[in-house]
Amino acid sequence: MHPAMTRLERIDRYLSGQMSPEERRAFEAELAADESLAQELEAQREMWRFLQRRHEREARRKQLQAIGEEFFQQPARVVPMRTRVLRWAAVAAAVAVLLVGYWLMRPSLYEQFAQHPPLALVEKSGAATDDLAAAERAFNGGDYAKAAPILERWLQRHPDDDLVRIYLGIARMEMNQLEEARNLFQNLRTNDPALRDFAQWNLALSYLKEGDTEACRQALHNLSDGSAYAEQARRLLERLSN
């Protein structure tokens, strides 16, 4: 098989969670040593996100189109002027609804920036239990309601695990439990600047989701110097200023 195909297939297996814990560890060690492979992974991850968003928008577009077709495909017949006026008013209202629907199909600013890295709890713990694997599958599949209680139980047993604390906060944020999410993001036990910036970035996203742009800006400005999220923060601040 062509080497490029092999790399792409391995990246696909990694992103889809099909690798065993041993495979994931070996692959991530290779990622750390091979910058070109890491770049390919990031490009493929962005493509996955784009396709997922496009699929969701297309599904909503088809639903709106079906509603519009059902409304407009009425049998033609002679009707009184008053009825025609009322019908045209209804048509205008329907068009307005469809236009609003198309506008709503556009991803929100939060959806554009809240691209969460996949959870790898089994690999992190070194314990391939069904419970931990279920948490990974649920979180990475977007089933945050299922992932949250598993992460909660893990955190109760490992209260110093701030990475899990942040992922639990992300799950709470996606479930619109914003106060609970912020409490998790703001109460880390570690001094690790990378983890603190990860939490701070998600704290900013929680305010963005709520529509509190001023609090979002403040949280972004509180990222550390040289933060891994500096470029994303710059782009988000720029969008908030438009």
Side-chain angles (χ1 to χ4, degrees):
M1 185 177 293
H2 194 280
M5 289 297 296
T6 301
R7 284 164 71 100
L8 289 175
E9 287 180 353
R10 292 172 68 208
I11 288 171
D12 185 70
R13 280 173 52 78
Y14 178 77
L15 291 174
S16 61
Q18 296 178 25
M19 284 186 170
S20 67
E22 293 76 15
E23 286 178 298
R24 287 179 66 91
R25 281 192 288 271
F27 186 71
E28 289 184 344
E30 191 174 345
L31 283 172
D34 187 341
E35 185 177 352
S36 67
L37 180 61
Q39 290 173 349
E40 284 186 49
L41 171 67
E42 189 57 33
Q44 188 76 350
R45 179 180 282 136
E46 287 299 320
M47 179 60 70
W48 273 44
R49 291 168 179 164
F50 169 77
L51 291 174
Q52 182 180 18
R53 292 194 297 268
R54 189 174 72 171
H55 174 75
E56 291 170 353
R57 290 197 298 271
E58 180 64 15
R60 289 194 291 267
R61 185 191 67 78
K62 288 181 178 178
Q63 184 179 28
L64 286 168
Q65 183 179 8
I67 293 171
E69 289 174 353
E70 181 179 353
F71 182 87
F72 290 115
Q73 289 179 356
Q74 302 292 332
R77 61 182 184 274
V78 177
V79 294
M81 177 60 72
R82 174 180 170 78
T83 303
R84 276 185 284 173
V85 170
L86 292 175
R87 179 168 294 172
W88 277 112
V91 168
V95 170
V97 169
L98 289 172
L99 289 174
V100 170
Y102 278 113
W103 175 260
L104 291 176
M105 284 193 302
R106 299 176 60 184
S108 68
L109 197 57
Y110 172 81
E111 290 170 329
Q112 293 174 48
F113 281 88
Q115 303 297 325
H116 310 303
L119 176 63
L121 188 56
V122 172
E123 178 181 320
K124 178 181 182 299
S125 69
T129 67
D130 291 341
D131 212 27
L132 298 182
E136 280 190 11
R137 288 193 300 271
F139 185 95
N140 296 337
D143 190 349
Y144 301 107
K146 183 176 181 180
I150 304 175
L151 296 175
E152 189 84 56
R153 289 195 297 271
W154 174 268
L155 195 58
Q156 288 172 357
R157 296 194 300 269
H158 305 86
D160 292 329
D161 194 333
D162 278 331
L163 183 60
V164 170
R165 192 183 311 278
I166 296 170
Y167 273 99
L168 176 57
I170 293 172
R172 297 292 184 202
M173 177 169 64
E174 290 293 345
M175 295 161 64
N176 290 316
Q177 299 171 359
L178 299 178
E179 286 302 322
E180 293 91 333
R182 288 173 195 144
N183 184 57
L184 290 160
F185 296 146
Q186 293 175 312
N187 286 283
L188 302 189
R189 300 189 178 190
T190 183
N191 290 319
D192 183 339
L195 281 180
R196 288 198 163 274
D197 273 348
F198 186 28
Q200 188 68 23
W201 168 251
N202 282 287
L203 179 65
L205 290 179
S206 76
Y207 289 120
L208 179 64
K209 188 170 192 181
E210 191 174 44
D212 189 342
T213 55
E214 187 55 41
C216 178
R217 286 192 187 94
Q218 184 60 51
L220 292 172
H221 285 304
N222 286 338
L223 287 165
S224 67
D225 294 336
S227 169
Y229 297 93
E231 177 58 23
Q232 290 165 278
R234 183 195 66 77
R235 290 192 291 112
L236 179 51
L237 285 167
E238 188 176 273
R239 295 288 298 277
L240 290 173
S241 298
N242 292 338

